Amino acid sequence: MAKSSVSMKLLIDSKAGRVLFAEASKDCVDFLFYILSLPVSKLISLVGKQQMVGSLGNLYESIENLNESYIQPNKNKDTFLKPVIPPTSGSSVPLLALEDSPSVRALYRCPQSCNNYGYVSDDPTALCPSCRRLMNMAMDYVAPPVKNESSGEEGGFVKGVVTYMVMDDLVVNPMSTISSLTLLSKFNVKEVGALQEKVVALGMSEVFIHI
């Protein structure tokens, strides 16, 4: 079952009252990187219009509220509000896997045998290039086989052999002793005893606040 949150371990300088960096597992880094592959409207639907910084939420809501009479007859709102995301390993990414839709993808063909049924559309209002009829004959979509990640493959994007370091500006790097010491020197940390660790859980809303 997909996780509802991912965790990070914060390294805090209690004397200066600041977070130096966070230690993140493979699950957390996979989620952060996978965000880059999502359409903007998908991000808005995940986090909610009210949580978006700037005007993107308003733009999303404008399409939602737009009367159908102002939209081209061969277009629909879902093209922008619910874009189809190509199949990826996203189902193995925490948090985002919760949003995976179990519905079957709808595909349509021309009711005639034009081009030996070679024309396919995901819009039932599309016109067949040959006979100009509506391509509204539903077809059965066969999904690709689900990769068995229990066979030794980790899934996701990054490898889980190391811990990763995440900065407050979302710079991500593999973590090592040398990199940690370098950062402590950069932040001018004098008293190692003042350092504290704190594990925090990140849900969907918390993550998107920092993007």
Side-chain angles (χ1 to χ4, degrees):
M1 179 180 291
K3 301 177 184 178
S4 60
S5 65
V6 291
S7 62
M8 302 176 75
K9 182 188 292 183
L10 306 181
L11 186 65
I12 303 170
D13 184 347
S14 60
K15 188 172 182 179
R18 64 181 175 182
V19 176
L20 303 180
F21 58 85
E23 296 180 26
S25 65
K26 164 187 167 54
D27 285 345
C28 185
V29 175
D30 274 341
F31 170 67
L32 293 175
F33 284 169
Y34 190 71
I35 291 173
L36 295 177
S37 70
L38 297 176
V40 173
S41 56
K42 180 63 175 179
L43 296 180
I44 297 175
S45 67
L46 288 173
V47 71
K49 296 173 292 185
Q50 292 76 17
Q51 301 296 327
M52 292 301 299
V53 177
S55 302
L56 286 176
N58 294 335
L59 193 60
Y60 187 94
E61 189 172 16
S62 296
I63 298 179
E64 279 188 321
N65 296 335
L66 187 63
N67 191 289
E68 296 286 349
S69 62
Y70 295 102
I71 300 175
Q72 294 285 356
N74 62 335
K75 303 292 182 181
N76 61 72
K77 295 181 181 181
D78 285 350
T79 301
F80 294 97
L81 301 181
K82 300 176 182 178
V84 176
I85 301 176
T88 66
S89 58
S91 59
S92 64
V93 178
L95 300 187
L96 289 179
L98 300 176
E99 304 295 330
D100 286 350
S101 173
S103 60
V104 177
R105 184 179 180 183
L107 295 174
Y108 306 90
R109 65 172 175 81
C110 175
Q112 305 299 314
S113 58
C114 297
N115 196 31
N116 292 321
Y117 304 117
Y119 299 127
V120 179
S121 175
D122 57 3
D123 185 348
T125 64
L127 297 179
C128 173
S130 294
C131 67
R132 309 305 296 173
R133 290 174 178 263
L134 287 175
M135 298 180 61
N136 55 9
M137 180 69 71
M139 300 179 67
D140 293 327
Y141 173 70
V142 180
V146 178
K147 183 180 295 185
N148 183 11
E149 294 175 357
S150 63
S151 62
E153 296 187 24
E154 292 181 290
F157 183 72
V158 298
K159 294 183 178 180
V161 294
V162 298
T163 301
Y164 295 86
M165 178 184 295
V166 182
M167 307 302 294
D168 59 358
D169 57 358
L170 292 184
V171 171
V172 179
N173 286 300
M175 189 172 179
S176 67
T177 302
I178 294 177
S179 62
S180 300
L181 293 175
T182 300
L183 274 178
L184 293 180
S185 176
K186 176 182 177 181
F187 289 123
N188 198 29
V189 176
K190 302 297 184 182
E191 300 180 22
V192 178
L195 299 179
Q196 298 179 349
E197 292 183 343
K198 181 179 180 181
V199 177
V200 296
L202 299 178
M204 191 69 70
S205 298
E206 291 86 354
V207 171
F208 280 103
I209 287 174
H210 296 88
I211 297 179

